[in-house]
Amino acid sequence: MATIINIPEAKAIQVNNLEFTYNGAPEPSLIDITMPIAKNSVTALIGPSGCGKTTLLRAFNRMHDLYPGHTYNKGEILFEGRNIIDPKEDLINLRIKIGMIFQKPTAFPMSIFDNVAYGLRLQGTKNKTELNDRVEKALKDAAIWKETADRLKDDANGLSGGQQQRLCIARAIAVEPDVLLFDEPTSALDPISTQGIERLVTELKEKMTIIIVTHNMQQAARVSDYTGFMYLGELIELGKTEEMFVTPKERLTNEYITGKFG
Amino acid sequence: MTETQKRVLISKIVMVLSTLSALIGLAFLFWILYVLVTNGIDAINWDIFLYEGAPPGYAESGLKQALIGQLILVGVASLIGVPLGVLGGTYLSEYGQRSRLAETIRDISDIMMSAPSIVIGAFVYAVVVTPMGHFSGWAGVIALTIIMVPIILRTTDDMLHLVPGTLREAAFALGAPKYKVIIQVVYRGAKAGVLTGILLGVARVGGETAPLLFTSFNDNFMSTDLMEPMASLTVTMFNYATSPYEDWQQLGWAAAFILSMFILALNIIGRLIIMKKGK
C-alpha cells in the first residue's frame, strides 16, 4: 500500500481512487490513485518513464478528453468541491482555472503581445489599457519583461527556447489560474534557462498551486514542497520533499532516488 | 579492384546518371519556355487585349473574349472551390482525423487528383450540359471546381497536420473552444502552406483544356453570361493553334504565352510564400 502523508495545508485538489485507461490499452495507466494537492505549494511528480506521472497531470485539466476513447474508469478528482472528471464538467472554465505549461515551448504563431493576451481575449477582455496592463504584469511576473518590453509586436517565434517557455508561463498566468500544471517544463532548455524557470516556479506558488512533473530528481528537490513518487501507474509515496529524499518510507522510493532503477 | 574502389565507382556512375537525367528534364523545360517566349513575344500586342475573335484575315482580331472568359471561369471556380477545399481539409485534419470517413475521403480525393481531367469533363457533359441542352460557362466552372477541390482539400489537410499537436493543446489548455483553436492557432500556423496549396490548385485548373472543350465550349465574342458558352484561353489556343491560318496561329502563340506567364506567376508567388515562411 502506498504511503500518503497527511498535509496540514488546505487542499487545492483531492484525487480519490482514480483509475484511467488510454484508448485501446489493455491495462489502466493510472491505478487507484489517491492524492491530496496542497494549496499554494509546489507538488512534484517523479518516477521512471511510463510511470503515469504525465498521464495524471493531464487528467487535472482533462487534456485527455481532446482525444477519443480515453476513459476515466473510476474514482474522482475534487476541485472547488466538485468532481471535475464528471462528464458534465465545463472544460473551458476548468482549463481557465487550471493552466498548463508543456514540455516544449508552445508559442503561438503571433506576436509576443498577442500570445500573452490570447487567454485574456478568450475571456472577453477587450479594453486596450486593461490588456496592456495585464500583459505587462504577466510578462513581469514571468521574468521576461526586460527582454520583451521593446519588441512586443515581434513574432514570438523569434525568441529563444528559454524565453519562449517563460512567454508561455506569462501567457498561462495572465489569466490568473488557481492551479498551474508543469509537464517537464525544462527538459528542452539549457541550464541557465532551467534555473530561471525553477526560480519562477517557487515564486509563483504564493499566488497559485503548482504541480510539476519532472524527470529530474534534483529539480524536484529544489523546487517542491511535496513530492509524489509514481511507479507503474501507482502512486507509491507522497511526502514532504525534504523528508522523502532523505528518509523515504517505501523501499521502491528509496531504490528510485538512490538510482537503483529508472 | 577493391571493394571500396568498386563502391566509389558505382557512386560516381549513379551521380553522373542522375545529374544527366535532371539536366535532360530541365533542358525540355527551357526549350518549351524558349519556343513559347520567342513566338509569344512576337505575337503579343495591344490589339490582343482590345479586340474579340475575328475570322482569319481581319486585322482587328484579338483574345479579349478568351482572357475575360478565362478569368471568369477560373475566378468563379475558385470562389466555389477554395472555400470547399479549405473547409473540407479542415474537417479531415481537425475533426475527422483518422476516422474511417476521413480516410475514405482522403483516398477518394487522391484518386480524383489523378483522374484524367477529360473524364471529369465527360461527367459534367453528361450531368450538366445534356440536361441544359447546350454548353455553358457554368458547366465549365463546375468541371474546374471538381478538379480543384481535391487538390486544395489534400494540401490543406496535410498543411494543417504539420501544425504541432502541442500548439493545439496549449490553446485548449487556455480554455479556447475548438473553433477558435482552429481559426486563431492552427490556420495561422499553416497559413503559408494552405495559401500555397490554393495557388497551386488555381494554377492547375487555369491550364485545363480538356474539361472545358465540351462544357463551356467556346465563343468568338465577348460574353460574361455563365448560362451561355464561354471562351477560355486554353480552348481558344487549341482552336487557333490547330487552324491553318497564320494570323490565328499567331493568336494561339499569344494565348499560350499569356497563359504560361499567368501560371508561372502563380507558381512563383507560391514558392515565394514558402520561402518567406522558411526565414
Side-chain angles (χ1 to χ4, degrees), chain A residues 58 63 67 92 95 106 118, chain B residues 167 169-170 172-173 175 180 184:
Chain A
R58 288 165 66 91
M63 230 37 193
Y67 308 95
I92 288 176
R95 289 173 187 153
T106 52
Y118 189 80
Chain B
L167 224 53
E169 289 189 352
F172 279 116
K180 284 195 174 165
Q184 298 172 339

Side-chain angles (χ1 to χ4, degrees), chain A residues 35 43-54 56 182 184 211-224 226-239 241 244-245 248 252-258 261-262:
Chain A
M35 179 183 195
T43 302
L45 290 171
I46 59 168
S49 296
C51 69
K53 52 192 192 300
T54 296
L56 177 60
F182 287 82
E184 297 187 34
I211 309 174
I212 178 168
V213 162
T214 176
H215 250 109
N216 181 331
M217 279 183 276
Q218 284 77 31
Q219 181 166 68
R222 282 193 298 263
V223 303
S224 71
Y226 293 94
T227 299
F229 169 63
M230 294 184 70
Y231 186 63
L232 297 178
E234 292 183 69
L235 180 66
I236 304 297
E237 182 167 358
L238 175 76
T241 299
M244 231 177 84
F245 281 99
L252 268 171
T253 316
N254 188 35
E255 284 176 5
Y256 182 70
I257 61 177
T258 52
F261 69 94

Side-chain angles (χ1 to χ4, degrees), chain A residues 58 63 66-67 92 95-96 100 102 106-110 118 122 171, chain B residues 166-167 169-177 180-181 184-185 188-189:
Chain A
R58 288 165 66 91
M63 230 37 193
L66 295 179
Y67 308 95
I92 288 176
R95 289 173 187 153
I96 289 170
M100 191 172 213
F102 296 82
T106 52
F108 296 148
M110 47 183 87
Y118 189 80
L122 274 180
R171 188 173 67 194
Chain B
T166 50
L167 224 53
E169 289 189 352
F172 279 116
L174 285 164
K180 284 195 174 165
V181 175
Q184 298 172 339
V185 176
R188 257 175 209 263

